Amino acid sequence: MPTAEQSIRCVILCQSLTNTFTPIFLVRLDERTGNLFILAGDNIEIEIYPDGIWRFL
């Protein structure tokens, strides 16, 4: 399960993406690392760490 911080950050980022009409193709929890992964648009890859910090890949 994602952490509370990851869940909140994921909703915020997904809302920001859809506000710009960017399609979200995949949201996945990597069970090995505990990180959330978002694949959106043409080249957007986002990783959200368990503490809620995120970065573009």
Side-chain angles (χ1 to χ4, degrees):
M1 289 296 286
T3 64
E5 292 86 0
Q6 279 178 315
S7 301
I8 292 167
R9 184 63 58 194
C10 183
V11 169
I12 291 169
L13 290 170
C14 287
Q15 180 182 6
S16 296
L17 288 167
T18 58
N19 283 344
T20 61
F21 300 102
T22 303
I24 299 169
F25 298 115
L26 177 71
V27 176
R28 175 87 173 124
L29 177 65
D30 185 345
E31 295 174 358
R32 296 173 297 140
T33 62
N35 298 338
L36 273 176
F37 177 78
I38 300 172
L39 178 63
D42 293 328
N43 299 344
I44 300 172
E45 297 178 5
I46 299 172
E47 187 173 32
I48 308 172
Y49 300 106
D51 60 0
I53 303 295
W54 64 279
R55 70 179 180 120
F56 288 109
L57 298 178

